[in-house]
Amino acid sequence: MKIRKSMIAASILAASLAGAYAAAANGGPQTMMAPPFARASPQESAALVASLRALHGNQGLDSDHGYVLAKEHPGQAGTRIARLHHTYKGVRVLGSDSVVVTDARGSILNVSASERRASLGQGSATALAGTPFIDVTPVIQAQAAIDAIVRATAPRGLHRHAPSAELVIHPIVTRIRAPGAETKPEAQLNALDLVEKIAGYELAWLVKTRMADGGKPVFRDAIVSAMDGRTLAQWNALQNVAGVGHSLYSGDVPIQTTYADGVYRMFDPSRGTGGYFGGMAVTDAAHSPFTAPRPGTIYTNAINVWGDGLPYNGGSTNGANGQTAAVDALWGLMNTYDALKNTQGWSSLDGLNTATYIAVHLGTNYDNAFYDPVCKCMYLGDGSAFKGLGSLDIIGHELGHGITDASSGLNFTGETGGLNESFSDINGEMVEAYAKNGGTGNAIPAGNDWMLGKDISPTGTPLRWMWKPSKDGVSRDVWSSTLGNIDPHYSSGPNNRMFYFLSQGSSATVGNEMHSSYLTQSPRNMSGIGNDKAYRIWFRANTLKFTASTNYADARNKMIQSANELYGINSKEAVAVTRAYAAVNVGADIAEGTPSEVIRNGSFESGATGWNSSANVIGTWSRQAAYEGSKCAFLGGKGSTNTGTLTQTFTIPADATVANLSFALHIDSAETSTRTAYDTLAVTVKSAAGTPLGTLATYSNLNKAAGYTIKSLSMLKYKGQTVTLSFASTEDSSLQTSFVVDKVALVP
C-alpha cells in the first residue's frame, strides 16, 4: 500500500472540493416553498390558552393548571399547529402536552393531549391539584443537580454546549393491565392490553448535558429529584442508530449510521469531530479518477441494511453490490478508531479526535488503497487484481499512515521509510485482531493471521508475511547496511519480523520460518509478550519518541525506553524488546532470566507480604480491578477526612547504575475542581530510622484519569542506602478520590 504525497494531486483535489461546495452554496436543485409561516402573536397565543382553560371544568382541573407554548409550525391547508406544555403552579409537568390545530382565525379545530396531570390508569379525573404534597419550591438547586449528573456520566468531559436544568414535575408512571386483560398469558398480550397509571409526582430538575468525553460525545438527559438529589431517570440524548452491513470480509456486521430526513447515512458523529464532514463518514467516489480523487457524497439508504456481501461486479456504486465496499470501509474505520481509543487512549488518527473519512470506488482500474495526508482521509480503488481492498488489515494499514503523519512523521525513505511502512503493517494486524475478537475492550487480543492482505487476494497469497517477510521474494528478514537502499515496502521487513517475535516469540528449531540465528543467548527461542503489550510499546515509541529520521538502531533504543516506562526497568517486556531486535540483527542478544528485583511482592498477589499499610489497603476490590493479577493497593476513596499509608523498606545496591521506581497508578475522583488539590497521594523516601529524605512525587484529584498510568521515578541518589518507600494518601471531608497502586518495581 502506498502513501500519497503529490502536491499537484492535492491541489486538484482542493479545487474540486471547492467547486462542489460552491455548487451547494448556490442552492443546487430548487423546491417549491410554502407561503411564509407567521408565528402567532402574543395576543393570539393568550387567546389560545384561554380557550384551553375554558375546558378545565370538564377535566377536573383548577386555576393552578396552565399551559406554555413550546413550538408551532404550519399544518395542512393553512392550519396552524401549536404544541403546548402543561404546567402546574407555573412548573411544567414532564411528558404532559397538548397539540392544538387551529384555523386561520384561531379557532380550535382539534386537540390531541398526553394528559399526565390526572391518574389516567384509573380512568378518573383526579387532578394534580388533588395531591397537596407537591411543593414547587426546590430543596436541591439547579447547579447541584447539574454537577451530580456531570460527575456520574463524564466527570472529565468538556461541555460542547452549556448544561441546563429546568424545574419540572415528574410523573411517576407505571404500566398496568387494562380491564379484561388481567389474566391473559404474557405471550398473548397486545399493546392495547397495557395502560399507563400515574402513581405519584415528584418535583425534579430536567438536566441536559452535551459533553465530549475522551473524544466521544456524551449527550445525556436526566431527571434529578429537586428534593433530595436522587437520579430518577436518565437516557442518552444522542440519536445514533446501528445498522446491519453485509460485509465481503467480516460477514454481517453492526455498523454505526445516523438517520435524518427519512434516510440512513454512513455517518457517525460519535467517532471524531470536525474534519471534512463533521464526523466519521464513508463516501462514494463514484469512479472519480485517482489522479484527481473526489470524495463524492456520503452513502445513504432508505433502510438500515447495507450491501450484499459479494465482490464488486462493476455495476452501480451505490446499489446493494456497490454498498458492500462501503460496509467494509465503515467497519474497518470504526474498529480502527475504537482500537486506538480504547487501547491506547488515542482519539482518531491525529490524537485530537479530528474526524476522517474513507471514499470507496476510486477509479475504474485502480488496484490500490492509500492514505492522503492533505485531506487526512483514505481512498479505496476499484480494480481487478483483488477481490476488494476493504479488508480490516488493509484499512488499518492505511489509517496507520495517518497516525504516523500526525505523530513521528517518519520520512518515507530508507530505513526510516521502512519503519513508517512497518508501523502501518503492525497497525493493520492489530486492528484485525481487535475487530475479529468483538471490537470491544481495552486490550488488543490474539486473533490476527500475521499475513497482510491475505483476504483481498483471489489466490490467498498475502502481500506480506510478518514472521518471514522474505517469503515475498523481495523483502528483507534482517537488517543489513544496504537495507536503506531498497523500497520502504520491503525495508519494513525486519521490523515486521521483530514485532512478530516480540508478540509471539520465536522457534529454536533451525530451518523453522520463526527461527533466528541471531538469538544466541538462553533460551534460543525467545518468549513473546502478546499483542497487547507489544503494540503498546510500539505505539508509544512511534507517537512519543520517534522523530522523522529515526532509523532501526534508534528505533531499538526508543522501544526499550518505552518498555522500561510502561513495565519497569529491565522488565521481561524490556528484555523481550531487546531480544526481538537482536533477532533481526539490531543490537546484541541477552539472556531472558529474571532481573534482580528489589521490591518484594510488588503486585500484591501475596497480600501484605513485604508491606506495611493502613487497614484494608491491600486486597481485591470490586470498585477497581488490579492492573495485573487480582490484587492491588487501594488508598483513599472514602469521601471523608482520612489518611492511608503503604510502605516497604529495602536496600538499593551501592553499585547500581540505574534505580528507577515504577508503578501503575489509577486516580479516580468525584472532585470537579480543575485548580485545587483537595486530596493527595505523596510518594516519599525515608531513612530506615524514619527520617524524611525526600519527596519523589505528589499526585492529587487534579491528576484523575481513566485507567492506569505507569509512573517512573528515579531513586538512584539513594543507592547504597536502606530506605523506606512510602505512599501516603490524604482526603478532605467530602467527595472521594481513590489512589490505586499496583505493580511496584525497582530493578537496579
Side-chain angles (χ1 to χ4, degrees), residues 68 85-97 128 134-140 142 145 164-172 201-208 222-227 232-233 235:
V68 60
H85 296 316
H86 298 166
T87 64
Y88 174 68
K89 294 183 178 180
V91 179
R92 177 159 72 107
V93 181
L94 199 62
S96 197
D97 302 279
L128 183 60
I134 290 294
D135 185 352
V136 295
T137 303
V139 174
I140 304 297
S164 64
E166 177 195 359
L167 191 64
V168 297
I169 293 171
H170 174 56
I172 302 170
Y201 303 89
E202 185 156 353
L203 190 69
W205 293 102
L206 170 59
V207 176
K208 294 185 176 183
I223 308 297
V224 178
S225 170
M227 308 310 292
L232 305 176
W235 57 92

Side-chain angles (χ1 to χ4, degrees), residues 19-159:
Y21 271 127
N26 290 330
Q30 298 295 307
T31 57
M32 293 187 63
M33 302 295 292
F37 176 71
R39 295 185 179 277
S41 67
Q43 295 78 9
E44 291 172 325
S45 296
L48 176 60
V49 168
S51 297
L52 293 174
R53 282 182 176 273
L55 304 174
H56 280 183
N58 298 329
Q59 299 170 339
L61 304 176
D62 60 21
S63 60
D64 283 333
H65 296 76
Y67 303 87
V68 60
L69 182 64
K71 61 181 68 172
E72 53 184 342
H73 55 83
Q76 294 179 340
T79 59
R80 182 192 307 273
I81 311 298
R83 298 176 183 273
L84 302 101
H85 296 316
H86 298 166
T87 64
Y88 174 68
K89 294 183 178 180
V91 179
R92 177 159 72 107
V93 181
L94 199 62
S96 197
D97 302 279
S98 289
V99 181
V100 184
V101 182
T102 59
D103 62 15
R105 296 172 298 175
S107 300
I108 295 177
L109 302 177
N110 184 54
V111 177
S112 175
S114 171
E115 180 60 78
R116 289 190 169 183
R117 291 176 292 188
S119 299
L120 298 179
Q122 296 178 348
S124 71
T126 302
L128 183 60
T131 55
F133 60 88
I134 290 294
D135 185 352
V136 295
T137 303
V139 174
I140 304 297
Q141 299 306 306
Q143 189 60 51
I146 291 172
D147 291 344
I149 296 304
V150 170
R151 284 197 302 268
T153 58
R156 295 173 291 105
L158 299 176
H159 292 288

